[in-house]
Amino acid sequence: MFEGLSEKLSGIFDALTRRGSLSEEDVNVALREVRRALLEADVALDVVRSFVDKVRSRAVGANVIKSVTPGQMVVKIVNDVLIETLGAEAEPINLDAAPPVAIMVIGLQGAGKTTTTAKIAKRLSERMKRKVLMASLDVKRPAAQEQLAVLGRQIGVETLPVIAGQTPVQIAVRAEQAARLQGFDVVLLDTAGRTHIDEALMQEMAEIKAASKPHEILLVADSLTGQDAVNLAKSFDGRVGITGIVLTRVDGDGRGGAALSMRAVTGKPIKLLGAGEKMDALEDFHPSRIANRILGMGDIVSLVEKAAESIDAEKAQRIADRMRKGKFDLEDLSEQLAQVEKIGGLGGIMGMLPGMAKIKDQLAAANLDDRIIKRQRAIISSMTRQERRNPDILKASRKKRIASGSGVKVEDVNKLLKQHRQMADMMKSLGGAKRGGGALGKMASMFGMPGAGMGGMPQPSPEQIAALQKQLGPMPGGPAPKPVAAPKPLAPPPAGVSAAPKLPGLGGGAGGGLGAQPGKLPGLGGGLLSGLNPFGKKK
């Protein structure tokens, strides 16, 4: 959603950061371009004016103009103001109330209220371990109540049984009673919508609110509607009162103006972002992370969180153990590709990496998309278990059968096998099970990390280190080291702890023992670890 705005702002700031110094006129020219970019992104005019004024007041000053990197200082100021505009802190759904906590979901028809209700229910039950009940109050749209019941069965969340002829207010009261009697923690009320705001809709929302007394009222708004979404939020907040906003379809090609405007215009936080049709395609709204995405700085934290949620830890550990032993077959490769798909595919991952916007054209030319992963998994799925575990038996006739079964050419099968062979060779060289440790094994053993197949290196005792220090003398041919006054300790060491620091990982603190022997760095012809080469034989 923020792609177009991100490209324009990145171009503006690239021109700024290339300059050695900035004048006030340079800042004003850049801010005119920022103003134009925000207006093109459908950001509300009042929000644009406020945004540009805040940036100008902070950027035009001696601290920025005379800064070592003035361009980068301006980028930082824009980033800070962007975070303030979106809301300084992330505000998740508030469940701090006596159960059952009522959450009312409102919005226009077609914005995705029913799907979003199911997504929130799945999120609360799986992540926060809450017992959730969903109830559909939409008696206007055909099969709306049945739709919520189907979604409830898909995600394993209970829904209120449908009784024909009841009004939305009666259903809300029944949902509250059922939740209280059956010990539910949260009750989600999916209300009806209209194609436009009318008095009947507002009156119905007000009556439901009075009957159910919801702790949270979440407005579901379609981000593709731009400024209309902002007007919608103002209308609902004025008549019903909302506590938060859920923006849907942020994975679409909207301009991002709604997200930038809604918080500033309504003063209500954006709590969640709907980023797809799947039931797990719901993200927390973090202003700082969204600001980083807009300015092309990436969003590594969200990527790591998504990976932690979607990757099976036991399966990943099992593959890691096999890699450590130098084993990596096509079944392992298929599992790795499946995990990439779970995180969001190549597009989802690259969208969160810093600097990817600047090489978008090169990536497009390389045809790196999610179809590659699907094609490679299809090739592996067309193999027998024996072939996946032992790719060496794949000859011409087998490759032809696999290509035919997966709908690709034999060349594609050969490419996949070559890619796997390169990865398997790399795993063997790193794991090095046959050579007693390999590069990874020796590096890990240096830091005292045990591992299967990694040859352990004996750790010297503090007494042995002390004996070695007495034997060490000045470097041959070099001047004697000048005595250096020892710095005064900040505080006396605790009882039972030696005051002399020792080498890290060798039974003491950081940096010990090196001060007495200048020039004798480990592995460079002197010092305590002289002659030890962790990547080869002993010299």
Side-chain angles (χ1 to χ4, degrees):
M1 182 173 73
F2 299 109
E3 194 172 290
L5 179 60
S6 178
E7 284 181 12
K8 289 185 176 69
L9 292 180
S10 295
I12 296 166
F13 295 138
D14 281 348
L16 277 183
T17 51
R18 280 197 292 267
R19 301 193 179 196
S21 60
L22 290 181
S23 65
E24 187 172 334
E25 182 58 28
D26 293 331
V27 174
N28 288 332
V29 170
L31 288 180
R32 274 201 295 274
E33 295 295 324
V34 170
R35 177 191 176 93
R36 187 178 293 121
L38 292 173
L39 289 173
E40 287 177 6
D42 207 13
V43 181
L45 181 60
D46 292 341
V47 178
V48 174
R49 283 176 180 158
S50 171
F51 184 93
V52 173
D53 288 344
K54 282 181 184 176
V55 174
R56 181 180 285 111
S57 65
R58 299 183 196 181
V60 179
N63 291 338
V64 172
I65 304 301
K66 295 179 181 177
S67 168
V68 178
T69 54
Q72 291 177 4
M73 284 294 292
V74 173
V75 175
K76 181 187 181 303
I77 290 167
V78 170
N79 187 46
D80 292 343
V81 176
L82 203 52
I83 292 170
E84 289 175 20
T85 306
L86 291 167
E89 296 292 333
E91 295 188 35
I93 292 175
N94 183 9
L95 300 179
D96 189 14
V101 180
I103 298 175
M104 186 174 163
V105 182
I106 63 176
L108 290 184
Q109 193 171 312
K113 289 189 306 302
T114 303
T115 308
T116 300
T117 301
K119 287 180 181 179
I120 294 172
K122 177 180 169 69
R123 193 180 186 84
L124 294 177
S125 61
E126 290 184 357
R127 289 195 182 187
M128 304 181 72
K129 308 300 180 188
R130 303 297 171 99
K131 191 179 179 185
V132 182
L133 175 68
M134 296 191 296
S136 175
L137 279 59
D138 190 350
V139 296
K140 302 286 185 186
R141 184 165 61 91
Q145 293 177 306
E146 285 77 7
Q147 180 191 356
L148 191 66
V150 170
L151 291 173
R153 287 194 291 273
Q154 283 180 10
I155 62 176
V157 173
E158 290 191 49
T159 53
L160 189 73
V162 178
I163 297 178
Q166 282 196 325
T167 65
V169 175
Q170 290 171 335
I171 297 172
V173 172
R174 183 162 61 91
E176 285 277 340
Q177 292 172 347
R180 189 171 290 107
L181 290 171
Q182 297 176 37
F184 284 93
D185 299 314
V186 180
V187 55
L188 282 164
L189 305 174
D190 176 27
T191 63
R194 303 283 193 283
T195 54
H196 61 280
I197 296 172
D198 59 15
E199 184 58 34
L201 172 65
M202 291 300 184
Q203 186 63 33
E204 184 179 292
M205 296 296 108
E207 289 174 2
I208 294 170
K209 179 184 177 183
S212 60
K213 296 181 176 59
H215 186 63
E216 285 265 29
I217 301 177
L218 299 178
L219 172 67
V220 177
D222 187 346
S223 61
L224 297 182
T225 56
Q227 284 302 299
D228 283 344
V230 180
N231 298 330
L232 169 78
K234 287 171 70 176
S235 300
F236 270 105
D237 189 37
R239 289 295 303 273
V240 184
I242 61 176
T243 60
I245 300 164
V246 181
L247 272 182
T248 59
R249 296 182 188 164
V250 297
D251 55 327
D253 56 358
R255 297 177 181 177
L260 288 171
S261 304
M262 287 179 111
R263 170 69 193 228
V265 171
T266 64
K268 306 298 180 182
I270 300 171
K271 299 204 169 191
L272 296 165
L273 297 175
E277 290 297 317
K278 292 182 180 178
M279 287 295 106
D280 55 357
L282 195 66
E283 301 176 9
D284 287 321
F285 183 84
H286 293 274
S288 58
R289 299 183 194 177
I290 296 295
N292 286 344
R293 284 194 216 179
I294 292 173
L295 296 180
M297 299 176 188
D299 189 1
I300 297 296
V301 178
S302 293
L303 181 60
V304 171
E305 285 179 357
K306 193 179 284 187
E309 289 167 17
S310 54
I311 289 176
D312 186 341
E314 290 183 9
K315 199 175 286 184
Q317 183 61 45
R318 199 158 53 243
I319 294 174
D321 290 340
R322 286 173 57 77
M323 287 180 183
R324 197 180 291 122
K325 295 174 183 174
K327 295 178 182 177
F328 186 75
D329 58 26
L330 286 165
E331 284 187 343
D332 297 328
L333 178 59
S334 181
E335 288 290 346
Q336 298 265 322
L337 294 172
Q339 289 179 358
V340 170
E341 279 189 322
K342 281 183 184 177
I343 296 173
L346 291 174
I349 293 172
M350 288 179 179
M352 292 186 178
L353 295 177
M356 280 295 159
K358 295 180 182 178
I359 58 169
K360 197 177 77 168
D361 295 338
Q362 293 92 313
L363 291 174
N367 291 323
L368 283 174
D369 59 21
D370 297 332
R371 286 176 295 179
I372 294 173
I373 295 178
K374 285 182 168 55
R375 200 177 299 127
Q376 290 181 331
R377 291 197 70 201
I379 293 170
I380 297 172
S381 298
S382 299
M383 301 176 185
T384 65
R385 180 174 291 184
Q386 185 186 8
E387 289 167 347
R388 289 197 292 269
R389 292 185 174 177
N390 187 14
D392 295 335
I393 66 173
L394 290 173
K395 305 304 178 189
S397 59
R398 290 178 185 255
K399 290 178 183 177
K400 191 173 180 182
R401 187 202 82 239
I402 292 164
S404 176
S406 55
V408 298
K409 297 178 181 177
V410 176
E411 291 88 339
D412 295 321
V413 178
N414 287 330
K415 280 180 188 174
L416 176 67
L417 292 173
K418 183 179 179 183
Q419 177 187 339
H420 167 260
R421 193 159 51 246
Q422 290 171 342
M423 292 176 73
D425 290 343
M426 184 176 71
M427 298 306 167
K428 283 180 184 176
S429 66
L430 291 175
K434 293 181 180 177
R435 293 172 303 186
L440 277 180
K442 290 182 180 179
M443 286 170 66
S445 63
M446 280 180 66
F447 294 98
M449 294 194 309
M454 295 186 179
M457 189 167 65
Q459 300 288 328
S461 66
E463 291 78 12
Q464 289 173 320
I465 295 172
L468 280 169
Q469 284 175 332
K470 288 181 182 178
Q471 293 174 10
L472 291 171
M475 288 182 68
K482 295 179 181 179
V484 179
K488 294 181 181 179
L490 295 175
V497 177
S498 172
K502 297 178 178 63
L503 286 172
L506 301 177
L514 292 179
Q517 291 296 325
K520 294 202 171 186
L521 294 174
L524 298 177
L528 297 182
L529 301 179
S530 174
L532 175 67
N533 181 3
F535 300 102
K537 296 180 180 178
K538 193 170 180 180
K539 299 270 179 168

